[in-house]
Amino acid sequence: MATVICTLLVLSYDATRAWMLRQVLLLSLQESARVGVTLNLQPTAMQSQFDRTASAWWGSEARQQHYYKRFSSRYGFDAWRLWQLSPSDHDFAQHEDKTLTRRSTTGYKHISVRHQLVQHINNKGRHTQQSIFAANTLHAQLIFWYEPSLAFSRALVRLLWPTDPNPYLQQGKTQGLVPIRLHISLPMQSHPIQWPLSQHSAIQRVSNAAIGSLAWHPELPRSFMTGEHQNTPPTPGKETGAETHPSTPSSPEPTIDEPTLTPSVPEESGDLLSEEKACEGAACCY
Protein backbone atom coordinates (compact mmCIF):
# COMPACT_ATOMS: atom_id res chain seq x y z
CA MET A 1 0.00 0.00 0.00
CA ALA A 2 2.83 2.40 0.79
CA THR A 3 4.36 1.76 -2.65
CA VAL A 4 1.08 2.47 -4.39
CA ILE A 5 0.44 5.63 -2.37
CA CYS A 6 3.96 6.97 -3.00
CA THR A 7 3.63 6.27 -6.71
CA LEU A 8 0.34 8.15 -6.90
CA LEU A 9 1.83 11.07 -4.97
CA VAL A 10 4.80 11.32 -7.33
CA LEU A 11 2.58 11.14 -10.42
CA SER A 12 0.22 13.77 -8.99
CA TYR A 13 3.17 16.05 -8.27
CA ASP A 14 4.51 15.73 -11.81
CA ALA A 15 1.06 16.21 -13.34
CA THR A 16 0.51 19.38 -11.30
CA ARG A 17 3.88 20.87 -12.22
CA ALA A 18 3.38 19.99 -15.89
CA TRP A 19 0.00 21.74 -15.89
CA MET A 20 1.45 24.85 -14.24
CA LEU A 21 4.29 24.90 -16.76
CA ARG A 22 1.74 24.54 -19.55
CA GLN A 23 0.05 27.80 -18.49
CA VAL A 24 3.36 29.67 -18.61
CA LEU A 25 4.16 28.18 -22.01
CA LEU A 26 0.74 29.13 -23.35
CA LEU A 27 1.35 32.79 -22.53
CA SER A 28 4.88 32.57 -23.95
CA LEU A 29 3.57 31.09 -27.20
CA GLN A 30 0.96 33.83 -27.53
CA GLU A 31 3.54 36.58 -27.03
CA SER A 32 5.97 34.94 -29.45
CA ALA A 33 3.28 34.57 -32.12
CA ARG A 34 2.23 38.21 -31.73
CA VAL A 35 5.80 39.30 -32.32
CA GLY A 36 5.98 37.01 -35.35
CA VAL A 37 2.84 38.30 -37.06
CA THR A 38 3.92 41.93 -36.61
CA LEU A 39 7.64 41.52 -37.45
CA ASN A 40 7.49 39.44 -40.65
CA LEU A 41 8.00 36.12 -38.82
CA GLN A 42 11.54 36.96 -37.71
CA PRO A 43 12.74 33.79 -35.96
CA THR A 44 15.24 35.53 -33.66
CA ALA A 45 12.62 37.97 -32.41
CA MET A 46 10.09 35.18 -31.84
CA GLN A 47 12.60 33.03 -29.95
CA SER A 48 13.78 35.93 -27.79
CA GLN A 49 10.21 36.87 -26.87
CA PHE A 50 9.36 33.28 -26.02
CA ASP A 51 12.38 32.85 -23.74
CA ARG A 52 11.77 36.25 -22.12
CA THR A 53 8.18 35.39 -21.22
CA ALA A 54 8.89 31.78 -20.22
CA SER A 55 11.72 32.82 -17.88
CA ALA A 56 9.06 33.47 -15.21
CA TRP A 57 8.97 29.71 -14.62
CA TRP A 58 12.63 29.67 -13.56
CA GLY A 59 12.66 33.07 -11.86
CA SER A 60 15.36 34.65 -14.02
CA GLU A 61 16.77 34.38 -17.52
CA ALA A 62 20.14 33.23 -16.13
CA ARG A 63 18.57 30.20 -14.42
CA GLN A 64 16.55 29.53 -17.55
CA GLN A 65 19.66 29.44 -19.77
CA HIS A 66 21.40 27.22 -17.22
CA TYR A 67 18.50 24.77 -17.42
CA TYR A 68 18.58 24.83 -21.23
CA LYS A 69 22.31 24.00 -21.26
CA ARG A 70 21.90 21.20 -18.72
CA PHE A 71 18.99 19.77 -20.68
CA SER A 72 20.88 19.83 -23.99
CA SER A 73 23.98 18.21 -22.52
CA ARG A 74 21.96 15.48 -20.84
CA TYR A 75 19.59 14.53 -23.68
CA GLY A 76 21.32 15.79 -26.82
CA PHE A 77 18.53 18.09 -28.10
CA ASP A 78 16.86 21.36 -27.13
CA ALA A 79 14.20 21.66 -24.47
CA TRP A 80 11.64 23.12 -26.86
CA ARG A 81 10.93 23.60 -30.53
CA LEU A 82 8.37 25.68 -32.38
CA TRP A 83 7.07 24.21 -35.65
CA GLN A 84 5.77 26.76 -38.17
CA LEU A 85 3.13 24.85 -40.12
CA SER A 86 1.90 27.83 -42.13
CA PRO A 87 3.05 29.67 -44.12
CA SER A 88 5.16 26.78 -45.37
CA ASP A 89 7.79 26.66 -48.10
CA HIS A 90 5.08 25.57 -50.53
CA ASP A 91 3.00 28.64 -49.62
CA PHE A 92 5.93 30.94 -50.36
CA ALA A 93 6.40 29.25 -53.74
CA GLN A 94 2.71 29.53 -54.65
CA HIS A 95 1.87 32.98 -53.26
CA GLU A 96 5.15 34.87 -53.53
CA ASP A 97 4.86 38.58 -54.26
CA LYS A 98 7.82 39.10 -56.58
CA THR A 99 7.52 42.88 -56.39
CA LEU A 100 8.03 42.85 -52.62
CA THR A 101 10.86 40.36 -52.98
CA ARG A 102 12.69 42.60 -55.44
CA ARG A 103 12.22 45.71 -53.30
CA SER A 104 13.32 44.00 -50.09
CA THR A 105 16.89 44.26 -48.87
CA THR A 106 16.78 40.72 -47.45
CA GLY A 107 16.44 38.97 -50.81
CA TYR A 108 14.05 36.34 -49.40
CA LYS A 109 10.56 35.51 -50.66
CA HIS A 110 7.62 37.60 -49.45
CA ILE A 111 3.88 37.02 -49.28
CA SER A 112 1.77 40.16 -49.46
CA VAL A 113 -0.94 40.81 -46.88
CA ARG A 114 -2.46 43.60 -48.96
CA HIS A 115 -5.62 43.24 -51.04
CA GLN A 116 -6.06 39.57 -50.18
CA LEU A 117 -9.54 39.54 -51.70
CA VAL A 118 -8.08 40.65 -55.05
CA GLN A 119 -5.35 38.02 -54.81
CA HIS A 120 -7.89 35.35 -54.00
CA ILE A 121 -10.10 36.19 -56.97
CA ASN A 122 -7.15 36.37 -59.36
CA ASN A 123 -5.82 33.00 -58.12
CA LYS A 124 -9.10 31.12 -58.55
CA GLY A 125 -7.85 29.31 -61.63
CA ARG A 126 -4.56 28.26 -60.04
CA HIS A 127 -4.22 24.89 -58.33
CA THR A 128 -2.91 26.04 -54.95
CA GLN A 129 -3.00 23.88 -51.87
CA GLN A 130 -3.98 26.80 -49.63
CA SER A 131 -5.73 30.07 -50.33
CA ILE A 132 -4.00 33.38 -49.79
CA PHE A 133 -5.95 33.78 -46.54
CA ALA A 134 -4.56 30.53 -45.12
CA ALA A 135 -1.07 31.37 -46.38
CA ASN A 136 -1.27 34.69 -44.51
CA THR A 137 -2.16 32.97 -41.24
CA LEU A 138 0.52 31.85 -38.81
CA HIS A 139 -0.16 28.29 -37.66
CA ALA A 140 2.43 27.12 -35.14
CA GLN A 141 2.84 24.18 -32.80
CA LEU A 142 5.03 24.24 -29.70
CA ILE A 143 6.63 21.11 -28.29
CA PHE A 144 8.21 21.61 -24.87
CA TRP A 145 9.74 18.64 -23.07
CA TYR A 146 8.75 18.25 -19.44
CA GLU A 147 11.31 16.35 -17.39
CA PRO A 148 9.69 14.16 -14.68
CA SER A 149 11.15 14.66 -11.25
CA LEU A 150 12.09 11.03 -10.54
CA ALA A 151 13.77 8.30 -12.57
CA PHE A 152 10.82 6.06 -11.72
CA SER A 153 8.45 8.45 -13.50
CA ARG A 154 10.68 8.56 -16.60
CA ALA A 155 10.86 4.77 -16.66
CA LEU A 156 7.07 4.61 -16.40
CA VAL A 157 6.74 7.02 -19.35
CA ARG A 158 9.11 4.88 -21.46
CA LEU A 159 7.11 1.78 -20.59
CA LEU A 160 3.59 3.10 -21.20
CA TRP A 161 4.10 5.63 -24.01
CA PRO A 162 3.55 4.20 -27.51
CA THR A 163 5.96 4.75 -30.37
CA ASP A 164 5.60 7.90 -32.44
CA PRO A 165 6.21 8.26 -36.21
CA ASN A 166 7.85 11.65 -35.72
CA PRO A 167 11.57 11.17 -34.99
CA TYR A 168 11.79 14.28 -32.82
CA LEU A 169 8.92 13.15 -30.58
CA GLN A 170 10.19 9.59 -30.46
CA GLN A 171 13.64 10.83 -29.45
CA GLY A 172 12.23 12.53 -26.38
CA LYS A 173 9.88 9.74 -25.39
CA THR A 174 12.68 7.19 -25.40
CA GLN A 175 14.36 9.38 -22.74
CA GLY A 176 11.24 9.28 -20.58
CA LEU A 177 10.23 12.90 -21.27
CA VAL A 178 6.66 14.12 -21.61
CA PRO A 179 5.88 16.50 -24.50
CA ILE A 180 3.73 19.53 -23.73
CA ARG A 181 2.08 20.43 -27.04
CA LEU A 182 0.38 23.74 -27.74
CA HIS A 183 -0.77 25.34 -30.96
CA ILE A 184 -1.83 28.80 -32.03
CA SER A 185 -3.25 30.49 -35.13
CA LEU A 186 -3.00 34.23 -35.75
CA PRO A 187 -3.56 36.28 -38.93
CA MET A 188 -0.50 38.03 -40.27
CA GLN A 189 -0.24 41.78 -39.70
CA SER A 190 2.93 42.15 -41.78
CA HIS A 191 4.29 40.53 -44.92
CA PRO A 192 5.55 36.99 -44.18
CA ILE A 193 9.19 36.47 -45.16
CA GLN A 194 10.82 33.11 -45.87
CA TRP A 195 13.74 33.49 -43.47
CA PRO A 196 16.46 30.83 -43.67
CA LEU A 197 16.35 28.42 -40.72
CA SER A 198 19.11 26.02 -39.75
CA GLN A 199 18.32 22.50 -38.59
CA HIS A 200 19.51 23.41 -35.08
CA SER A 201 17.21 26.41 -34.78
CA ALA A 202 14.51 26.32 -32.10
CA ILE A 203 11.98 27.51 -34.72
CA GLN A 204 11.47 25.24 -37.71
CA ARG A 205 9.37 25.69 -40.84
CA VAL A 206 7.70 22.42 -41.72
CA SER A 207 7.49 21.23 -45.30
CA ASN A 208 4.17 19.92 -46.56
CA ALA A 209 5.53 16.37 -46.73
CA ALA A 210 6.52 16.41 -43.04
CA ILE A 211 3.34 17.92 -41.59
CA GLY A 212 1.62 14.54 -41.42
CA SER A 213 4.35 13.08 -39.21
CA LEU A 214 3.66 15.59 -36.43
CA ALA A 215 1.52 14.46 -33.56
CA TRP A 216 -0.89 17.35 -34.09
CA HIS A 217 -1.98 18.07 -37.64
CA PRO A 218 -4.34 21.04 -37.75
CA GLU A 219 -7.20 21.33 -40.17
CA LEU A 220 -6.43 24.84 -41.34
CA PRO A 221 -9.51 26.99 -40.70
CA ARG A 222 -11.38 28.34 -43.67
CA SER A 223 -11.58 32.07 -44.23
CA PHE A 224 -14.78 34.01 -44.71
CA MET A 225 -14.46 33.30 -48.45
CA THR A 226 -15.34 29.63 -47.97
CA GLY A 227 -18.57 28.13 -46.89
CA GLU A 228 -17.27 25.08 -45.00
CA HIS A 229 -16.65 25.06 -41.25
CA GLN A 230 -18.34 28.42 -40.89
CA ASN A 231 -21.46 29.37 -38.98
CA THR A 232 -23.83 30.62 -41.63
CA PRO A 233 -25.47 33.84 -40.46
CA PRO A 234 -29.27 33.81 -40.40
CA THR A 235 -30.91 35.29 -43.45
CA PRO A 236 -32.97 38.36 -42.56
CA GLY A 237 -36.65 37.84 -42.97
CA LYS A 238 -36.76 34.05 -42.82
CA GLU A 239 -37.68 33.91 -39.17
CA THR A 240 -39.79 37.05 -39.07
CA GLY A 241 -41.54 36.39 -42.37
CA ALA A 242 -40.49 39.71 -43.89
CA GLU A 243 -39.96 39.88 -47.60
CA THR A 244 -36.30 40.18 -48.65
CA HIS A 245 -34.52 40.88 -51.92
CA PRO A 246 -31.07 39.26 -51.71
CA SER A 247 -30.17 40.23 -55.27
CA THR A 248 -30.26 43.97 -54.45
CA PRO A 249 -27.30 45.02 -52.27
CA SER A 250 -28.00 47.50 -49.50
CA SER A 251 -24.85 49.50 -50.28
CA PRO A 252 -22.78 50.02 -53.44
CA GLU A 253 -20.08 47.44 -54.01
CA PRO A 254 -16.51 48.61 -53.41
CA THR A 255 -14.48 49.26 -56.51
CA ILE A 256 -11.16 47.44 -56.98
CA ASP A 257 -8.43 49.14 -58.98
CA GLU A 258 -7.45 46.05 -60.95
CA PRO A 259 -8.00 46.41 -64.71
CA THR A 260 -7.50 42.69 -65.39
CA LEU A 261 -9.84 41.53 -62.67
CA THR A 262 -12.23 39.01 -64.18
CA PRO A 263 -13.83 37.02 -61.37
CA SER A 264 -15.38 33.78 -62.46
CA VAL A 265 -18.87 32.63 -61.56
CA PRO A 266 -18.79 30.52 -58.36
CA GLU A 267 -19.71 26.91 -58.68
CA GLU A 268 -22.91 25.49 -57.27
CA SER A 269 -20.97 23.33 -54.81
CA GLY A 270 -20.95 26.18 -52.29
CA ASP A 271 -17.18 26.13 -51.75
CA LEU A 272 -16.86 29.81 -52.61
CA LEU A 273 -19.31 32.50 -51.72
CA SER A 274 -20.62 34.88 -54.31
CA GLU A 275 -18.66 38.05 -55.01
CA GLU A 276 -21.42 40.17 -53.46
CA LYS A 277 -21.28 38.30 -50.16
CA ALA A 278 -17.50 38.15 -50.23
CA CYS A 279 -17.17 41.91 -50.63
CA GLU A 280 -19.25 42.43 -47.50
CA GLY A 281 -16.23 41.39 -45.42
CA ALA A 282 -13.56 42.76 -47.73
CA ALA A 283 -12.47 45.32 -45.15
CA CYS A 284 -10.86 42.59 -43.01
CA CYS A 285 -8.71 41.43 -45.90
CA TYR A 286 -6.93 44.70 -46.64
Side-chain angles (χ1 to χ4, degrees):
M1 291 294 296
T3 304
V4 174
I5 292 176
C6 290
T7 302
L8 293 178
L9 287 176
V10 170
L11 294 179
S12 301
Y13 171 77
D14 281 328
T16 304
R17 290 192 76 248
W19 180 259
M20 294 171 61
L21 176 59
R22 183 183 183 277
Q23 306 309 309
V24 177
L25 296 176
L26 181 59
L27 177 61
S28 304
L29 178 60
Q30 291 175 350
E31 295 298 324
S32 177
R34 287 169 181 166
V35 169
V37 299
T38 55
L39 295 181
N40 309 101
L41 297 178
Q42 290 186 8
T44 54
M46 294 176 64
Q47 182 175 353
S48 299
Q49 183 63 37
F50 179 87
D51 289 336
R52 190 179 303 111
T53 309
S55 62
W57 177 256
W58 291 272
S60 64
E61 295 186 8
R63 296 178 60 183
Q64 179 191 43
Q65 296 302 322
H66 176 72
Y67 173 79
Y68 285 170
K69 293 179 180 179
R70 182 182 65 84
F71 187 95
S72 301
S73 61
R74 175 178 296 183
Y75 299 107
F77 51 91
D78 295 333
W80 66 274
R81 181 164 292 182
L82 183 64
W83 302 93
Q84 179 183 319
L85 305 179
S86 175
S88 62
D89 292 332
H90 185 73
D91 295 331
F92 282 102
Q94 293 292 325
H95 301 283
E96 177 192 6
D97 191 312
K98 297 183 179 180
T99 303
L100 287 177
T101 304
R102 288 193 303 266
R103 293 177 180 176
S104 175
T105 57
T106 61
Y108 305 126
K109 293 182 179 180
H110 287 57
I111 297 178
S112 177
V113 297
R114 300 171 184 161
H115 306 288
Q116 296 186 46
L117 176 61
V118 178
Q119 296 185 58
H120 177 79
I121 296 177
N122 288 336
N123 292 335
K124 278 183 180 180
R126 299 174 57 187
H127 298 283
T128 56
Q129 186 172 0
Q130 292 195 78
S131 66
I132 186 62
F133 305 105
N136 271 316
T137 303
L138 172 62
H139 297 279
Q141 177 186 190
L142 173 69
I143 298 179
F144 193 98
W145 292 108
Y146 173 75
E147 186 179 9
S149 56
L150 297 178
F152 171 77
S153 302
R154 293 193 291 271
L156 191 62
V157 171
R158 287 194 298 267
L159 179 64
L160 300 180
W161 211 280
T163 58
D164 198 282
N166 185 272
Y168 179 75
L169 291 173
Q170 183 61 29
Q171 185 180 11
K173 291 176 181 178
T174 53
Q175 302 287 343
L177 305 176
V178 179
I180 299 178
R181 289 177 295 219
L182 299 170
H183 66 274
I184 192 170
S185 298
L186 285 179
M188 291 296 304
Q189 306 298 319
S190 58
H191 305 302
I193 300 179
Q194 191 181 21
W195 301 98
L197 299 173
S198 65
Q199 60 179 356
H200 301 291
S201 175
I203 299 179
Q204 293 290 324
R205 187 169 46 249
V206 183
S207 62
N208 291 73
I211 288 180
S213 63
L214 290 173
W216 174 75
H217 180 203
E219 181 181 356
L220 301 183
R222 304 276 184 158
S223 65
F224 75 94
M225 287 292 297
T226 55
E228 300 178 5
H229 309 290
Q230 297 289 330
N231 295 325
T232 305
T235 304
K238 282 190 175 181
E239 298 179 357
T240 59
E243 184 178 357
T244 59
H245 301 279
S247 59
T248 304
S250 57
S251 59
E253 297 182 6
T255 58
I256 304 176
D257 52 348
E258 289 289 332
T260 60
L261 182 62
T262 55
S264 59
V265 180
E267 300 177 0
E268 298 180 357
S269 59
D271 184 39
L272 294 176
L273 298 180
S274 64
E275 187 179 356
E276 286 184 10
K277 194 171 291 295
C279 289
E280 293 176 3
C284 66
C285 299
Y286 281 74

